[in-house]
Each structure stands twice: as structure tokens, then as C-alpha cells.
Amino acid sequence: MKWQGRRGSRNIEDRRGRSGTARTVGGVGGIGLLLILGIGWLLGIDTSALVGPAGQGNPGTTGGYTGSAEEEAAAQFVSVVLADTEQVWSHIFETQVGTPYQPPVLVLFSGVTQSPCGNASGATGPFYCPVDQKAYLDTAFFAELRDRFGASGDFAAAYVVAHEIAHHVQNELGILSQANQIRAQVSQAESNAISVRIELQADCYSGVWARAAHEQLGTLERGDLQEALVAAREIGDDTLQREAGRVPRPHTFTHGTSEQRQRWFAIGVETGDLTACDTFGTDRL
Ligand SMILES: [Zn+2]
């Protein structure tokens, strides 16, 4: 992906270098939350859909933090990808939705931070919190993606950012709140099944974004889509459970299999059409 020297987003809240307190927030704190965040860490991607409102997080301030060269490059990269999502989703909303796109804030943190959806620690993968409509990302996750999950390349990281922003798009479209309302009233297995539909739709939307970024900005390079597909494969529920030495148990899946995650991303890329991402209205996930 061509990103160096390009314009970044204004909607970055930089909390890096702030020592977040490990205070547990009300409601979903304690072991339950740790467990939830633990699952998120295993799955590699957000836990937002699992965690409800839980008190007020501290509003962040943009501090003059300067990290290592690698950290700064990662932060700059995220900022450029976020700007790309703003431009691209604004256009998609204009042409496919008919309402203006309201971009989210992306919180960069290192180690620990708080959100209305719960605390995030270094072990937490990126997540989107619908309560404050912010995406949370510790750029150390990119190294984990590369070293632990074997998904390297800048577009693997772009896919992770795009996936979280896709949850914001779902929130803007009213899909996330509807789905979470139903999830709160059904069994764990049924709730997990709805979560899979949410996540696969976010993967499909990420594909829609990637295609539009290619068409509108011309910033994709050869091999980029393959990098995203490798990342989607590596964070599939079945692959993660197998790599943890377990036999995959489909009723525990919350994000979908490797095959599903790759296929829905590809559907988004191939069609560029939000309506093709209707994971809630299909029998074949
Ligand atoms: Zn997700």
C-alpha cells in the first residue's frame, strides 16, 4: 500500500505514553471482563460486540508522545489508513446509502487504556466501542499480527484498521445496535452465531472499502489483497482454536472460520456493494 508521505486523519486520539490505570470499570469489570478481553485477544480482533456499557472512560488528550521510529511509523500508517476510510466511506455513503458518513475517532494507546466498553490492556486486540463510537488500537498489535499470526505486510494491518472502522459503519447503519439487542436476549450459542454474522459483514465491508480505496485513491499495490486474505485466514476461529491445540467447536465461534472470513472479504472486494454483504439474510455464511 502506498501510504508514506500521505495525508493523515485528524480523528486520531493519541493516548500513547499515558499510564492508564488498571482500575476496573463498573458493570462488566473483573474476571468476566478479563475473560472477554482474553477471548478478544485470542481471536485477534475486537471484543466490542461482547461488552456492554460500563461507566465512563476518561476522555483522552492528545499528548506529545514520541515513540520509537517503528511506533511512529505505525501511528502514521494508522492515521493515513483512517483518512482513507473517511474519504472512501464518505463516498460510499453518498452513492450507496444516501446519508452523510460521520467518521469515528480512533484511539491509539500503548499498554493500557479505558473505554466505556471496558478496559483495554496490551493483551487486547483492537476493538470498536459503539458507546463512544471510537475504535481502539495498540499498534503493538501489528507486530503480534506479524510475529504470532504470521500475517505480515502493511495491508494486513490496513485490513485490521478497516475491519474496526467497518464496525463503525455497521453502527452508523443501525445494524450493530439491532444485532446486539437480539444477542442480549438469546442463548450463548445463538449470540455467538449472531456475532459471526456481525464479524463476517465487517470483513465484507472491509473488502468494499479496499476495492473503493483502490478505485478512488489508487493506493493499493500488487500483493496487498493477498496480505489481507492471509490475515483473515490467520484469525479465523477454527484456525485459532486449532493453533491453540484444541478441536474447533463451531458453537463457540464468534468471528467465523478462516474460509468464511476470507470469502466475505473477497465478496466485498469483488462486488464493491454493501448490499452484497448481507450476512444476516443468507443461509450460506
Ligand atoms: Zn470485529
Side-chain angles (χ1 to χ4, degrees):
M1 177 185 162
K2 297 170 195 153
W3 64 272
Q4 267 146 335
R6 293 186 48 223
R7 181 184 68 83
S9 169
R10 287 204 193 99
N11 293 313
I12 296 270
E13 183 181 318
D14 193 352
R15 295 188 194 169
R16 297 173 305 153
R18 293 170 69 208
S19 52
T21 59
R23 180 179 69 84
T24 8
V25 289
V28 293
I31 289 169
L33 177 64
L34 288 175
L35 186 66
I36 288 165
L37 295 180
I39 293 166
W41 173 68
L42 276 177
L43 299 180
I45 302 275
D46 70 283
T47 51
S48 62
L50 293 167
V51 192
Q56 296 301 308
N58 293 331
T61 51
T62 304
Y65 175 80
T66 308
S68 67
E70 191 188 358
E71 285 172 336
E72 288 312 298
Q76 184 57 28
F77 172 78
V78 170
S79 180
V80 169
V81 174
L82 185 64
D84 285 358
T85 66
E86 289 159 2
Q87 195 172 339
V88 164
W89 280 115
S90 292
H91 186 254
I92 295 172
F93 267 58
E94 210 175 280
T95 53
Q96 295 189 31
V97 182
T99 55
Y101 175 64
Q102 309 288 345
V105 165
L106 188 147
V107 176
L108 279 182
F109 69 96
S110 54
V112 183
T113 196
Q114 295 177 343
S115 91
C117 292
N119 289 351
S121 74
T124 313
F127 64 100
Y128 173 73
C129 179
V131 181
D132 61 1
Q133 304 198 15
K134 292 180 182 178
Y136 289 79
L137 177 82
D138 182 340
T139 55
F141 182 73
F142 294 152
E144 181 155 330
L145 195 65
R146 185 189 62 217
D147 302 335
R148 181 184 154 90
F149 297 106
S152 58
D154 52 21
F155 213 73
Y159 157 67
V160 168
V161 176
H163 177 98
E164 298 314 325
I165 302 307
H167 282 312
H168 176 72
V169 170
Q170 291 175 308
N171 198 41
E172 287 278 290
L173 297 175
I175 296 166
L176 206 51
S177 59
Q178 263 184 32
N180 280 334
Q181 230 167 19
I182 299 169
R183 289 185 66 201
Q185 297 164 8
V186 296
S187 71
Q188 187 62 55
E190 286 169 310
S191 172
N192 289 346
I194 296 170
S195 172
V196 167
R197 290 180 191 269
I198 295 172
E199 296 300 333
L200 293 177
Q201 185 175 63
D203 283 336
C204 187
Y205 284 0
S206 306
V208 170
W209 170 79
R211 182 199 178 100
H214 177 60
E215 288 175 350
Q216 287 179 40
L217 310 170
T219 47
L220 268 64
E221 294 171 309
R222 200 182 179 80
D224 276 351
L225 291 178
Q226 189 55 31
E227 290 171 3
L229 284 168
V230 168
R233 184 186 73 210
E234 289 307 308
I235 56 181
D237 286 328
D238 55 336
T239 299
L240 289 172
Q241 291 188 359
R242 237 179 255 116
E243 278 171 8
R246 299 196 300 270
V247 176
R249 296 190 303 156
H251 68 280
T252 65
F253 291 175
T254 54
H255 287 65
T257 64
S258 294
E259 187 275 326
Q260 288 172 322
R261 299 200 70 166
Q262 290 188 302
R263 182 159 43 79
W264 280 101
F265 177 79
I267 289 170
V269 172
E270 281 160 18
T271 65
D273 180 0
L274 289 182
T275 60
C277 300
D278 185 8
T279 54
F280 293 90
T282 182
D283 290 333
R284 202 211 160 200
L285 274 185

